[in-house]
Amino acid sequence: MSRPEARSVRAFLWSRLRRDSRVAFRVLAWTAVESLPALLAGRLVAAAVDSGFLNDAPLVGMMWLGALAAASAIGAYGAKSALSQSAALVEPLRDALVSHTVELSLRQATTGGRWRQDLSGVARLTRQVEVVREAAGSLLLVVCRFSFAFIGVCIGTLTLDPVAAVLIFSPVILTIGCYALSLRTVARTQLRSIVATETLAQEAWELSAGLRDIAACGAEDLAFRQLETAALENARAEELLARLNALRTIALGLGGWLPLVLILLWARWGTVGTSAGTVLGVLTYVVQNLRPAVQALVQALGTTGIRLFVTLGRLLEEPGSDDRVIPPPSPTRRRTEAGEPPAHELDISLRKVSFSYSVGGNNVLEDVDIHVSAGEHLTVVGPSGIGKSTLASLIAGTLGPTRGSVVLDGTDLRDIPPERQAVLRTYLPQEAYVFTGTLRENLIYLCDGEVSDDQLDRAVRDIGLDNLLDRAGGYKGLLRPEDLSAGERQLIALARAHLSPARLIILDEATCHLDPAAEARAERALQQRPGTLVVVAHRISSALTADRVIVMDGTCVRLGSHEEMLSESMLYRDLVGLWGPTAGPA
């Protein structure tokens, strides 16, 4: 945690204490009552031993122990009252943090800013605010209890034997002071661990959201390296944090147990003229009061305190302080091999292809045997859930067949390197991939070499991106996915495919968020583009304009022209009647 952040946290907590100063004073008062046994325990034990049991007056000894029991009962009542008062202090703190978090999130939403697009505003409200509430209440009580217990034990021990007091408090003060100085380093490491965990979660979320795009583009190695980098940083931060937390064990040993060892040595060699009651009283102060208080303080500072300061620092952090423009992935991995012929058409063969999502499970596709000629426009139709997307994924290579083979230009798809597959085909799923960057960077993402403005203008005009181009302020305008509608993201992906060198384009309901006119315009532009086109249909218009249609009915797959399917397939006739000329499937 940086010094400005630490000052911000301290200022916030101090302002809350001043605002609720009366409640804070009541917490202190009841904690003082709770610490009454810490002040009296050693004195009462010493009196019970010296003036009672060792003086042949057991009733007197029992009387002093009864006084200790009464003090303990009063202390228990004080602990109960202190706990309830601390709740009255931290609940307004939670309400203030909730209001602060909601205000910042709404401010960003209304101003179009970008603040942790992994929905961290929700995480702040549901998790981090509760962490602060629990940690603040716990740390407040622990610090107050230690302070009063330390003062009580100090006074009580000094009244019994000043030498013993020096032996007790010297290692305690030295240990706590050194440990407190190390907390800043521990806090920075804790923050590093939190940020590394958030980064790893963000990377995993982004990669999981784009798995099909990653596989379709042959970017598995790059995606793995990005995730591996985040995972290694998270592991390093956790390892360093574990090493620093070992300081807590050392502090517990020195501050909790060393005073006891010194007192035992003092009892053996340095207690000439000291009564047995005094020795037992000093040991009572150390074992019953001081050591538990030191242990609770060190553990609270090392865990609860660090969590409080780091988490509160994150909550008070102004949005935009770590906004990043994510650079587009380098297109160099999609460049064609040297000397590749400029062919734009590619034929596809599925040879006895069967596919199941689990070993021994039912086949989604079985013995599919079809051939798509180079340059052909093919549309896939069928009921929802019948396997259309599975078929498209098999052709794209994002899924491998359980049995049989998918062949592109005479080569089994499994024998084509991923980077070569990325050049051959482009696969567009329903959820279009758009990254934070300029419109130009998004459009030329799959292109090889330089792309002129004339080429961009033609793609924008053909696909229908004119309005978005104007709104972005040209090709250099910055786009953020969260600022775009689902339809606009699909249009960008379609224009990207139009500009790409791919010889095969596969649309898996990639126009489902477009209206019929926009969908027809985009598909017409891709049909006129040189290359092979496979479309998982969202509307019957796609089938009406295709060269041939695949009708999927269970594991049975029929292939033919629109007219042939009307005469041969009852399912196709039903779908045509159900969809109508422009409507999508019901």
Side-chain angles (χ1 to χ4, degrees):
M1 178 179 293
S2 65
R3 290 186 178 181
E5 289 174 336
R7 286 196 296 267
S8 175
V9 170
R10 288 195 295 267
F12 178 81
L13 292 176
W14 181 244
S15 67
R16 298 305 309 178
L17 286 174
R18 285 187 301 176
R19 180 172 300 182
D20 299 319
S21 57
R22 292 184 178 180
V23 180
F25 179 78
R26 289 196 293 269
V27 172
L28 291 174
W30 283 115
T31 307
V33 174
E34 179 186 358
S35 301
L36 184 62
L39 174 64
L40 301 177
R43 291 291 306 172
L44 294 175
V45 167
V49 171
D50 289 337
S51 62
F53 299 114
L54 293 181
N55 200 30
D56 294 329
L59 290 179
V60 175
M62 294 300 297
M63 181 189 68
W64 288 116
L65 294 181
L68 177 58
S72 299
I74 296 173
Y77 183 78
K80 171 181 173 296
S81 301
L83 182 62
S84 62
Q85 291 300 320
S86 69
L89 189 64
V90 299
E91 291 303 323
L93 170 66
R94 180 186 63 177
D95 296 340
L97 288 174
V98 168
S99 300
H100 177 79
T101 303
V102 171
E103 179 185 349
L104 290 182
S105 297
L106 291 177
R107 186 192 308 164
Q108 285 301 106
T110 55
T111 57
R114 180 175 185 259
W115 184 28
R116 303 194 190 286
Q117 295 305 317
D118 53 340
L119 304 180
S120 63
V122 176
R124 281 168 161 76
L125 287 174
T126 59
R127 173 61 180 162
Q128 295 184 11
V129 168
E130 287 302 309
V131 167
V132 171
R133 182 184 71 85
E134 295 173 4
S138 176
L139 187 63
L140 174 67
L141 288 178
V142 168
V143 171
C144 290
R145 286 167 179 167
F146 172 81
S147 301
F148 283 105
F150 185 83
I151 293 172
V153 171
C154 182
I155 294 173
T157 308
L158 284 172
T159 60
L160 287 174
D161 193 298
V163 175
V166 173
L167 293 176
I168 291 173
F169 297 115
S170 296
V172 171
I173 293 173
L174 180 62
T175 299
I176 293 179
C178 294
Y179 186 67
L181 291 177
S182 71
L183 289 179
R184 178 172 293 176
T185 301
V186 177
R188 285 198 297 266
T189 308
Q190 181 75 53
L191 179 59
R192 176 183 172 185
S193 174
I194 290 177
V195 173
T197 302
E198 290 180 356
T199 302
L200 179 60
Q202 178 73 6
E203 288 287 347
W205 180 82
E206 290 177 350
L207 291 177
S208 64
L211 282 177
R212 294 203 293 183
D213 292 317
I214 292 170
C217 298
E220 293 92 340
D221 291 341
L222 178 62
F224 175 78
R225 288 195 297 272
Q226 291 176 342
L227 189 62
E228 183 183 36
T229 300
L232 289 175
E233 169 60 22
N234 186 57
R236 284 191 292 266
E238 292 293 335
E239 182 180 358
L240 180 58
L241 184 62
R243 291 177 179 175
L244 289 174
N245 282 337
L247 293 173
R248 185 172 59 199
T249 303
I250 299 174
L252 287 175
L254 294 177
W257 293 104
L258 184 58
L260 180 58
V261 173
L262 294 177
I263 291 301
L264 291 175
L265 294 175
W266 168 76
R268 175 65 178 83
W269 289 296
T271 58
V272 178
T274 304
S275 67
T278 299
V279 174
L280 287 176
V282 172
L283 288 174
T284 299
Y285 277 129
V286 173
V287 175
Q288 181 176 328
N289 302 114
L290 183 61
R291 194 181 66 82
V294 171
Q295 182 176 2
L297 179 68
V298 170
Q299 290 181 339
L301 290 178
T303 56
T304 306
I306 297 298
R307 290 177 64 200
L308 171 63
F309 271 76
V310 172
T311 307
L312 185 55
R314 299 287 282 176
L315 284 171
L316 298 178
E317 184 181 60
E318 283 293 330
S321 61
D322 64 346
D323 284 356
R324 296 171 298 166
V325 174
I326 302 174
S330 172
T332 56
R333 64 180 183 277
R334 294 178 177 82
R335 294 183 181 274
T336 59
E337 297 177 359
E340 180 188 355
H344 287 287
E345 298 179 348
L346 179 147
D347 65 0
I348 310 161
S349 294
L350 276 70
R351 299 175 180 175
K352 301 297 181 183
V353 167
S354 298
F355 180 81
S356 173
Y357 282 99
S358 61
V359 178
N362 294 330
N363 284 335
V364 179
L365 302 173
E366 188 166 353
D367 290 334
V368 176
D369 198 354
I370 59 177
H371 178 78
V372 181
S373 300
E376 190 172 10
H377 173 201
L378 187 73
T379 295
V380 183
V381 300
S384 178
I386 201 65
K388 302 186 298 297
S389 293
T390 301
L391 179 64
S393 297
L394 287 168
I395 296 174
T398 58
L399 292 177
T402 306
R403 187 173 64 249
S405 60
V406 178
V407 178
L408 302 184
D409 270 354
T411 304
D412 193 312
L413 190 58
R414 288 169 293 198
D415 297 331
I416 302 177
E419 62 274 12
R420 179 83 174 120
Q421 291 183 31
V423 175
L424 291 175
R425 53 98 182 98
T426 293
Y427 172 53
L428 274 63
Q430 293 183 27
E431 297 303 321
Y433 172 61
V434 177
F435 53 82
T436 300
T438 66
L439 177 58
R440 182 186 185 90
E441 288 170 339
N442 270 280
L443 291 178
I444 67 172
Y445 174 49
L446 299 178
C447 293
D448 176 39
E450 295 296 325
V451 179
S452 66
D453 286 347
D454 289 341
Q455 291 174 295
L456 291 173
D457 290 340
R458 184 163 56 251
V460 166
R461 182 178 61 253
D462 291 347
I463 296 297
L465 268 175
D466 312 76
N467 291 335
L468 181 59
L469 176 63
D470 294 338
R471 198 169 83 238
Y475 295 117
K476 295 183 179 179
L478 183 65
L479 297 182
R480 292 186 175 91
E482 63 272 14
D483 297 333
L484 303 173
S485 68
E488 288 172 331
R489 291 196 293 270
Q490 286 190 334
L491 286 174
I492 291 173
L494 291 165
R496 179 190 298 151
H498 188 278
L499 286 163
S500 76
R503 297 159 57 191
L504 166 64
I505 294 178
I506 305 158
L507 307 182
D508 184 3
E509 297 198 19
T511 59
C512 61
H513 296 297
L514 304 180
D515 59 62
E519 178 186 50
R521 178 177 181 176
E523 284 194 14
R524 184 167 57 251
L526 293 176
Q527 291 169 16
Q528 295 171 353
R529 172 190 180 277
T532 307
L533 179 64
V534 176
V535 179
V536 175
H538 179 65
R539 295 183 177 91
I540 195 60
S541 57
S542 298
L544 296 176
T545 58
D547 297 322
R548 286 193 296 170
V549 179
I550 289 180
V551 181
M552 301 188 65
D553 185 3
T555 57
C556 176
V557 175
R558 296 176 180 270
L559 176 61
S561 66
H562 171 66
E563 291 76 14
E564 290 172 342
M565 290 299 99
L566 282 176
S567 62
E568 297 177 9
S569 173
M570 181 179 297
L571 173 62
Y572 186 68
R573 290 196 299 271
D574 290 342
L575 290 174
V576 171
L578 178 65
W579 286 358
T582 58

